[in-house]
Amino acid sequence: MLDHRLGEEHDLLRETVREFANDVVAPVIGDYYERHAFPYPIIREMGKMGLFGLPFPEEYGGMGGDYLALGIALEELARVDSSVAITLEAGVSLGAMPIHKFGTEEQKRTWLPRLCGGEILGAFGLTEPDGGSDAGATRTTARLDEAAGEWVINGSKCFITNSGTDITGFVTVTAVTGTDADGRRQISTIIVPSGTPGFTVAPGYSKVGWNASDTHELAFDDCRVPQANLLGELGRGYAQFLNILDEGRIAIAALATGLAQGCVDESVRYAGERKAFGKPIGANQAIAFKLADMELRAHTARLAWRHAASKLVHGEPFKHEAALAKLYTSEAAVDNAREATQIHGGYGFMNEYPVARFWRDSKILEIGEGTSEVQRMLIARGLGVGG
């Protein structure tokens, strides 16, 4: 029988992160967001709290926690702001997790302690201008110069989170490294440290949302890194990426749940304060029913991501549940953001109100780390239908 009640440690973490989000993040994040500025002081404090090391072993500087702990932290942060939450999610799930799961002991010792402490951020370079959901269509190449003992990388990546901050330590990129015996392209993953000659970070994007997070296009022009920078097995890069994404979908689902709940919190508060025709608008059944539906979505979203996380933590197959959670929670976040904006009326269209950020931030949740269409495809396959 599944029990989604939190243990003492997880509950203490939830309270601690919620207090941090309310007292430290909420008062200042709107200014960072409007300036499209990365919130270095906030990220620094999150590092000191150990949030970037939550699911990693203590021997590498981590907190010795699990993926449920990470999800709890992400949900509480996203109740206030998604830019901060996605910085943590990408830093852990896409930056540090590949090193932890597939790195050599030397790679772990080199990178994980600084990643866990929030001193540096790692990024994962997968998406390319001509390859979004079709991640297997990678065009970036990495040729091994055996005489020099170096990989020579050429190509480009786009929409890469945490890739151009002042504290970005490296980007792990997927690249074609050869051809298998059956003629299929061999895709591997390679660590490229920031500042490597031939590795160029383009100016940040002008985005609809997540404006206080860091996102860039990357270019590699005869970029050379040591042969030892291969991450995991040669030719297993695509399989490794799929493994990372399955876990990452749970993290995104937790983040989406936080946004959905944040919409409820702000709307309930506003509905109790805003008066029309002599009474709070929350006294009107039309508004009350909207709030009830929003709470239902947030509650169900929480059950979905915690169910998937529980299976992951207990070593059970979780791919199907992760897709279910990612699909439901992302769509719940979009629906709640739309309704929250409607409840706030004209004020919901003003950036000074948190729900305006929530509305702008929600849509990407149906796209990033696997679109809603991809999730439906995965769920259908799990049912044995859909080809």
Side-chain angles (χ1 to χ4, degrees):
M1 175 179 173
L2 285 171
D3 186 349
H4 293 300
R5 289 175 294 183
L6 300 180
E8 184 176 349
E9 289 188 5
H10 285 125
D11 199 48
L12 178 60
L13 171 67
R14 181 184 59 79
E15 293 177 3
T16 300
V17 178
R18 178 176 294 187
E19 181 178 349
F20 173 79
N22 289 334
D23 296 347
V24 177
V25 180
V28 300
I29 195 61
D31 178 60
Y32 284 104
Y33 196 93
E34 289 307 306
R35 292 188 290 113
H36 292 232
F38 191 75
Y40 288 102
I42 293 174
I43 302 306
R44 191 176 305 117
E45 288 303 311
M46 289 165 57
K48 292 178 181 178
M49 292 171 65
L51 298 188
F52 286 94
L54 277 173
F56 301 112
E58 294 179 11
E59 64 178 303
Y60 298 115
M63 300 295 288
D66 54 27
Y67 228 84
L68 178 60
L70 174 62
I72 290 168
L74 289 170
E75 181 181 335
E76 293 302 324
L77 288 171
R79 286 177 74 150
V80 169
D81 179 71
S82 291
S83 292
V84 170
I86 195 58
T87 300
L88 175 62
E89 192 278 332
V92 174
S93 296
L94 301 179
M97 192 59 72
I99 302 291
H100 171 60
K101 292 178 72 75
F102 308 115
T104 64
E105 188 62 25
E106 181 178 356
Q107 288 169 342
K108 292 178 184 179
R109 297 290 178 188
T110 298
W111 297 111
L112 280 181
R114 298 177 67 199
L115 290 166
C116 290
E119 297 175 36
I120 63 171
L121 295 172
F124 196 91
L126 171 74
T127 303
E128 298 189 357
D130 293 325
S133 296
D134 185 10
T138 299
R139 293 187 178 182
T140 297
T141 62
R143 173 181 58 84
L144 181 60
D145 182 342
E146 296 188 17
E150 295 176 328
W151 292 105
V152 184
I153 305 171
N154 285 280
S156 62
K157 302 291 180 178
C158 60
F159 312 137
I160 309 304
T161 305
N162 291 346
S163 59
T165 73
D166 293 344
I167 57 174
T168 299
F170 65 89
V171 176
T172 301
V173 300
T174 53
V176 178
T177 51
T179 305
D180 290 330
D182 59 5
R184 289 187 297 179
R185 296 181 312 155
Q186 182 187 78
I187 297 177
S188 305
T189 49
I190 300 172
I191 302 169
V192 182
S194 298
T196 300
F199 172 25
T200 304
V201 179
Y205 290 101
S206 175
K207 297 178 291 186
V208 171
W210 284 0
N211 285 335
S213 73
D214 178 83
T215 318
H216 297 267
E217 184 173 1
L218 311 177
F220 304 90
D221 184 10
D222 285 340
C223 175
R224 290 177 171 266
V225 299
Q227 184 176 354
N229 281 26
L230 176 71
L231 180 63
E233 297 180 40
L234 184 69
R236 294 286 296 167
Y238 187 62
Q240 292 170 190
F241 149 74
L242 292 177
N243 182 281
I244 291 296
L245 265 196
D246 285 340
E247 295 185 0
R249 286 176 181 133
I250 299 175
I252 289 292
L255 188 158
T257 300
L259 190 152
Q261 187 65 56
C263 289
V264 177
D265 298 343
E266 292 295 328
S267 297
V268 168
R269 182 182 303 113
Y270 183 81
E273 297 171 351
R274 174 67 169 170
K275 291 185 178 180
F277 305 104
K279 61 182 179 181
I281 63 172
N284 297 312
Q285 197 172 68
I287 300 298
F289 280 10
K290 281 184 184 292
L291 292 169
D293 287 340
M294 291 167 66
E295 175 69 2
L296 174 62
R297 284 190 286 266
H299 176 78
T300 307
R302 185 171 299 109
L303 294 177
W305 85 254
R306 287 190 183 180
H307 180 204
S310 177
K311 299 202 75 171
L312 168 60
V313 169
H314 288 93
E316 301 171 7
F318 65 91
K319 185 184 185 77
H320 186 73
E321 288 75 14
L324 287 167
K326 203 277 184 181
L327 175 61
Y328 181 82
T329 58
S330 60
E331 295 191 346
V334 170
D335 288 344
N336 274 16
R338 183 185 62 252
E339 295 287 35
T341 303
Q342 191 71 18
I343 290 171
H344 280 69
Y347 291 107
F349 205 61
M350 300 297 113
N351 286 324
E352 63 190 273
Y353 282 78
V355 294
R357 286 203 315 274
F358 295 163
W359 185 60
R360 293 163 67 178
D361 290 341
S362 63
K363 182 57 189 176
I364 188 61
L365 296 171
E366 294 182 317
I367 300 171
E369 295 212 32
T371 63
S372 293
E373 290 76 15
V374 167
Q375 305 314 311
R376 286 184 166 88
M377 178 182 69
L378 294 173
I379 294 166
R381 284 180 181 172
L383 296 174
V385 297

